[in-house]
Amino acid sequence: MNDNCPNCPRQQVQPAAEHERGDQVSHLYRCPRCGVTWSTNRVLDAYREAA
């Protein structure tokens, strides 16, 4: 799942790493434009229904 950079206008940044645990998925991102890193934690069921 791609995400938008929280520091610059870059959109659709691909995750550098992913880890699933139970009903959650964690993604680690690094923006190729400005170099900022961030992570997200999402409940998988919420995104499976939206797909």
Side-chain angles (χ1 to χ4, degrees):
M1 178 173 298
N2 295 345
D3 200 6
N4 299 332
C5 180
N7 191 55
C8 77
R10 179 70 183 234
Q11 296 184 359
Q12 297 300 314
V13 177
Q14 294 182 350
E18 176 179 293
H19 178 73
E20 285 189 33
R21 185 178 199 179
D23 67 344
Q24 294 192 357
V25 63
S26 299
H27 288 111
L28 177 66
Y29 297 91
R30 180 173 173 85
C31 180
R33 180 177 178 188
C34 71
V36 73
T37 58
W38 72 98
S39 64
T40 62
N41 294 307
R42 297 179 172 103
V43 176
L44 288 171
D45 289 340
Y47 290 89
R48 285 185 183 129
E49 292 176 12

Coordinates of all heavy atoms in Angstrom, one line a residue:
M1 N 0.8 -1.2 0.0 CA 0.0 0.0 0.0 C 0.9 1.2 0.0 O 1.8 1.4 0.9 CB -0.9 0.0 1.2 CG -1.8 1.2 1.3 SD -3.0 1.1 2.7 CE -3.9 -0.3 2.2
N2 N 0.7 2.1 -1.0 CA 1.5 3.3 -1.1 C 0.9 4.4 -0.1 O -0.2 4.3 0.3 CB 1.5 3.8 -2.5 CG 2.2 2.9 -3.4 OD1 2.9 2.0 -3.0 ND2 2.0 3.1 -4.7
D3 N 1.8 5.4 0.2 CA 1.4 6.4 1.1 C 1.9 7.7 0.6 O 2.9 7.7 -0.3 CB 1.9 6.2 2.5 CG 1.1 6.9 3.6 OD1 0.1 7.6 3.2 OD2 1.5 6.9 4.7
N4 N 1.4 8.9 1.0 CA 1.9 10.2 0.7 C 2.9 10.7 1.7 O 2.7 10.5 2.9 CB 0.8 11.2 0.5 CG -0.2 10.7 -0.6 OD1 0.2 10.1 -1.5 ND2 -1.4 11.1 -0.5
C5 N 4.0 11.4 1.3 CA 5.0 11.9 2.2 C 4.4 12.9 3.1 O 3.7 13.8 2.6 CB 6.2 12.4 1.4 SG 7.4 13.1 2.5
P6 N 4.6 12.8 4.4 CA 4.1 13.8 5.3 C 4.9 15.1 5.4 O 4.6 16.1 6.0 CB 4.1 13.1 6.7 CG 5.3 12.2 6.6 CD 5.3 11.7 5.1
N7 N 6.1 15.1 4.6 CA 7.0 16.3 4.7 C 7.1 17.1 3.4 O 7.4 18.3 3.5 CB 8.4 15.7 5.0 CG 9.3 16.8 5.4 OD1 9.1 17.6 6.3 ND2 10.5 16.9 4.7
C8 N 6.7 16.5 2.3 CA 6.8 17.2 1.0 C 5.6 16.8 0.2 O 4.9 15.9 0.5 CB 8.2 16.9 0.4 SG 8.3 15.3 -0.4
P9 N 5.5 17.3 -1.0 CA 4.3 17.0 -1.9 C 4.4 15.6 -2.6 O 3.5 15.3 -3.3 CB 4.3 18.1 -2.9 CG 5.3 19.1 -2.6 CD 6.2 18.5 -1.5
R10 N 5.4 14.8 -2.3 CA 5.5 13.5 -3.0 C 4.4 12.6 -2.6 O 4.1 12.4 -1.5 CB 6.9 12.9 -2.6 CG 7.1 11.5 -3.3 CD 7.3 11.6 -4.8 NE 7.5 10.3 -5.4 CZ 8.5 10.0 -6.1 NH1 9.5 10.8 -6.3 NH2 8.6 8.8 -6.6
Q11 N 3.7 12.0 -3.7 CA 2.6 11.1 -3.5 C 3.0 9.7 -3.9 O 3.9 9.5 -4.7 CB 1.4 11.6 -4.2 CG 0.9 12.9 -3.7 CD -0.4 13.3 -4.4 OE1 -0.9 12.7 -5.3 NE2 -1.0 14.5 -3.9
Q12 N 2.3 8.7 -3.5 CA 2.4 7.3 -3.9 C 3.8 6.8 -3.7 O 4.4 6.1 -4.5 CB 2.0 7.2 -5.4 CG 0.6 7.5 -5.7 CD -0.4 6.6 -5.0 OE1 -0.2 5.4 -4.9 NE2 -1.4 7.2 -4.4
V13 N 4.3 7.0 -2.4 CA 5.6 6.4 -2.0 C 5.4 5.0 -1.7 O 4.5 4.6 -1.0 CB 6.2 7.2 -0.8 CG1 7.5 6.6 -0.3 CG2 6.4 8.7 -1.1
Q14 N 6.2 4.1 -2.3 CA 6.1 2.7 -2.0 C 6.8 2.3 -0.7 O 7.8 2.9 -0.3 CB 6.8 1.9 -3.1 CG 6.0 2.0 -4.4 CD 6.7 1.2 -5.5 OE1 7.8 0.7 -5.4 NE2 6.0 1.1 -6.7
P15 N 6.3 1.3 0.0 CA 6.9 0.9 1.3 C 8.3 0.3 1.1 O 8.5 -0.4 0.1 CB 5.9 -0.1 1.9 CG 4.9 -0.4 0.9 CD 5.1 0.6 -0.2
A16 N 9.2 0.6 2.0 CA 10.5 0.0 2.0 C 10.5 -1.3 2.7 O 11.3 -2.2 2.5 CB 11.5 1.0 2.7
A17 N 9.5 -1.5 3.7 CA 9.4 -2.7 4.4 C 8.0 -2.9 4.8 O 7.2 -1.9 5.0 CB 10.3 -2.7 5.6
E18 N 7.6 -4.2 5.0 CA 6.2 -4.5 5.5 C 6.3 -5.6 6.5 O 7.1 -6.6 6.3 CB 5.4 -4.9 4.2 CG 4.0 -5.4 4.6 CD 3.2 -5.7 3.4 OE1 2.8 -4.9 2.6 OE2 2.9 -6.9 3.3
H19 N 5.4 -5.6 7.5 CA 5.3 -6.6 8.5 C 3.9 -6.8 8.9 O 3.2 -5.9 9.3 CB 6.1 -6.3 9.7 CG 6.1 -7.3 10.8 ND1 6.7 -8.5 10.7 CD2 5.4 -7.3 12.0 CE1 6.4 -9.2 11.8 NE2 5.7 -8.5 12.6
E20 N 3.3 -8.0 8.7 CA 2.0 -8.4 9.1 C 2.0 -9.1 10.5 O 2.9 -9.9 10.7 CB 1.3 -9.3 8.1 CG 0.9 -8.5 6.9 CD 0.0 -9.4 6.0 OE1 -0.8 -10.2 6.5 OE2 0.0 -9.2 4.8
R21 N 1.1 -8.7 11.4 CA 1.0 -9.3 12.7 C -0.4 -9.3 13.1 O -1.1 -8.3 13.3 CB 1.8 -8.5 13.7 CG 1.9 -9.1 15.1 CD 2.7 -8.2 16.0 NE 3.2 -9.0 17.1 CZ 3.9 -8.5 18.1 NH1 4.3 -7.3 18.0 NH2 4.2 -9.3 19.1
G22 N -1.0 -10.5 13.1 CA -2.4 -10.7 13.4 C -3.2 -10.0 12.4 O -3.1 -10.3 11.2
D23 N -4.1 -9.1 12.9 CA -5.0 -8.3 11.9 C -4.4 -7.0 11.6 O -5.1 -6.1 11.1 CB -6.3 -8.2 12.6 CG -6.4 -7.3 13.8 OD1 -5.3 -7.0 14.3 OD2 -7.5 -6.9 14.2
Q24 N -3.1 -6.7 11.8 CA -2.5 -5.4 11.4 C -1.3 -5.6 10.5 O -0.7 -6.6 10.5 CB -2.1 -4.7 12.7 CG -3.2 -4.3 13.6 CD -2.8 -3.3 14.7 OE1 -1.6 -3.0 14.8 NE2 -3.7 -2.9 15.5
V25 N -1.1 -4.6 9.7 CA 0.1 -4.5 8.9 C 0.8 -3.2 9.1 O 0.2 -2.1 9.3 CB -0.3 -4.6 7.4 CG1 -1.2 -3.5 6.9 CG2 0.9 -4.8 6.5
S26 N 2.1 -3.3 9.2 CA 3.0 -2.1 9.4 C 3.8 -1.9 8.2 O 4.3 -2.9 7.6 CB 3.9 -2.3 10.6 OG 3.2 -2.5 11.8
H27 N 3.9 -0.7 7.7 CA 4.7 -0.3 6.6 C 5.8 0.7 7.0 O 5.4 1.7 7.8 CB 3.9 0.3 5.5 CG 3.1 -0.7 4.8 ND1 1.7 -0.7 4.9 CD2 3.4 -1.8 4.0 CE1 1.2 -1.7 4.1 NE2 2.3 -2.4 3.6
L28 N 7.0 0.6 6.5 CA 8.0 1.6 6.7 C 8.3 2.3 5.4 O 8.4 1.6 4.4 CB 9.3 0.9 7.2 CG 10.5 1.9 7.4 CD1 10.2 2.8 8.6 CD2 11.8 1.1 7.7
Y29 N 8.3 3.6 5.4 CA 8.5 4.3 4.1 C 9.7 5.2 4.2 O 10.1 5.7 5.3 CB 7.2 5.2 3.9 CG 6.0 4.5 3.7 CD1 5.1 4.2 4.8 CD2 5.6 4.1 2.4 CE1 3.9 3.6 4.6 CE2 4.4 3.4 2.2 CZ 3.6 3.2 3.3 OH 2.4 2.5 3.1
R30 N 10.3 5.5 3.1 CA 11.4 6.5 3.0 C 11.1 7.3 1.7 O 11.1 6.7 0.6 CB 12.7 5.9 2.9 CG 13.8 6.9 2.8 CD 15.2 6.3 3.0 NE 16.3 7.2 2.7 CZ 16.8 8.1 3.6 NH1 16.3 8.1 4.8 NH2 17.7 8.9 3.3
C31 N 10.9 8.6 1.8 CA 10.6 9.4 0.6 C 11.8 9.6 -0.3 O 12.9 10.0 0.2 CB 10.1 10.8 1.1 SG 9.7 11.9 -0.3
P32 N 11.7 9.2 -1.5 CA 12.8 9.4 -2.4 C 13.1 10.8 -2.8 O 14.2 11.1 -3.2 CB 12.4 8.6 -3.7 CG 10.9 8.6 -3.6 CD 10.5 8.6 -2.2
R33 N 12.2 11.7 -2.5 CA 12.4 13.1 -2.8 C 13.1 13.9 -1.7 O 14.1 14.5 -2.0 CB 11.0 13.8 -3.1 CG 11.1 15.2 -3.4 CD 9.8 15.9 -3.8 NE 10.0 17.3 -4.1 CZ 9.0 18.1 -4.2 NH1 7.8 17.7 -4.2 NH2 9.3 19.4 -4.5
C34 N 12.6 13.7 -0.5 CA 13.2 14.5 0.6 C 13.9 13.7 1.7 O 14.6 14.2 2.5 CB 12.1 15.4 1.3 SG 10.9 14.4 2.3
G35 N 13.8 12.4 1.6 CA 14.5 11.5 2.5 C 13.9 11.2 3.9 O 14.4 10.5 4.7
V36 N 12.7 11.8 4.2 CA 12.1 11.6 5.4 C 11.6 10.1 5.5 O 11.3 9.5 4.5 CB 10.9 12.6 5.7 CG1 9.7 12.3 4.8 CG2 10.5 12.6 7.1
T37 N 11.6 9.6 6.7 CA 11.1 8.2 7.0 C 9.9 8.3 7.9 O 9.9 9.2 8.8 CB 12.2 7.3 7.5 OG1 12.7 7.8 8.8 CG2 13.3 7.1 6.6
W38 N 9.0 7.4 7.7 CA 7.8 7.3 8.6 C 7.2 5.9 8.5 O 7.6 5.1 7.7 CB 6.8 8.4 8.2 CG 6.0 8.1 7.0 CD1 4.8 7.6 6.9 CD2 6.4 8.4 5.6 NE1 4.4 7.5 5.5 CE2 5.4 8.0 4.8 CE3 7.5 9.0 5.1 CZ2 5.4 8.2 3.4 CZ3 7.6 9.2 3.7 CH2 6.6 8.8 2.9
S39 N 6.4 5.6 9.4 CA 5.7 4.3 9.4 C 4.3 4.4 9.7 O 3.8 5.4 10.2 CB 6.4 3.4 10.5 OG 6.1 3.9 11.8
T40 N 3.5 3.4 9.2 CA 2.1 3.3 9.4 C 1.7 2.0 10.0 O 2.4 1.0 9.7 CB 1.3 3.6 8.1 OG1 1.6 2.5 7.2 CG2 1.6 4.9 7.5
N41 N 0.6 1.9 10.7 CA 0.0 0.7 11.2 C -1.4 0.7 10.8 O -2.1 1.7 11.1 CB 0.2 0.6 12.7 CG 1.6 0.4 13.2 OD1 2.3 -0.5 12.7 ND2 2.0 1.3 14.1
R42 N -1.9 -0.3 10.1 CA -3.3 -0.3 9.7 C -3.9 -1.7 10.0 O -3.3 -2.7 10.0 CB -3.3 -0.1 8.1 CG -2.8 1.2 7.7 CD -2.8 1.3 6.2 NE -2.5 2.6 5.7 CZ -1.3 3.0 5.2 NH1 -0.4 2.1 5.1 NH2 -1.1 4.2 4.8
V43 N -5.2 -1.6 10.3 CA -6.0 -2.8 10.5 C -6.4 -3.4 9.1 O -7.0 -2.7 8.3 CB -7.3 -2.5 11.3 CG1 -8.1 -3.8 11.5 CG2 -6.9 -2.0 12.7
L44 N -5.9 -4.6 8.9 CA -6.1 -5.2 7.5 C -7.5 -5.3 7.1 O -7.9 -5.0 5.9 CB -5.5 -6.6 7.5 CG -3.9 -6.6 7.5 CD1 -3.4 -8.0 7.7 CD2 -3.4 -6.0 6.2
D45 N -8.4 -5.7 8.0 CA -9.8 -5.8 7.6 C -10.4 -4.6 7.0 O -11.3 -4.6 6.1 CB -10.7 -6.3 8.8 CG -10.4 -7.8 9.2 OD1 -9.8 -8.5 8.3 OD2 -10.7 -8.1 10.3
A46 N -10.0 -3.4 7.5 CA -10.6 -2.2 7.0 C -10.2 -1.9 5.6 O -11.0 -1.4 4.8 CB -10.1 -1.0 7.9
Y47 N -9.0 -2.4 5.1 CA -8.6 -2.2 3.8 C -9.0 -3.3 2.9 O -9.1 -3.1 1.7 CB -7.0 -2.0 3.8 CG -6.7 -0.7 4.4 CD1 -6.4 -0.6 5.7 CD2 -6.6 0.4 3.6 CE1 -6.1 0.6 6.3 CE2 -6.3 1.7 4.2 CZ -6.1 1.8 5.5 OH -5.8 3.0 6.1
R48 N -9.3 -4.5 3.4 CA -9.7 -5.6 2.5 C -11.2 -5.3 2.0 O -11.5 -5.6 0.9 CB -9.7 -6.9 3.3 CG -8.3 -7.4 3.5 CD -8.4 -8.8 4.1 NE -7.0 -9.3 4.3 CZ -6.5 -9.7 5.5 NH1 -7.3 -9.8 6.5 NH2 -5.3 -10.1 5.6
E49 N -12.0 -4.7 2.9 CA -13.4 -4.4 2.5 C -13.4 -3.3 1.5 O -14.3 -3.2 0.6 CB -14.2 -4.0 3.7 CG -14.4 -5.1 4.7 CD -15.1 -4.7 5.9 OE1 -15.7 -3.6 6.0 OE2 -15.2 -5.5 6.9
A50 N -12.4 -2.4 1.5 CA -12.4 -1.2 0.6 C -11.9 -1.6 -0.8 O -12.1 -1.0 -1.8 CB -11.5 -0.1 1.1
A51 N -11.2 -2.7 -0.9 CA -10.6 -3.2 -2.2 C -11.6 -3.8 -3.1 O -12.7 -4.2 -2.8 CB -9.5 -4.1 -1.9

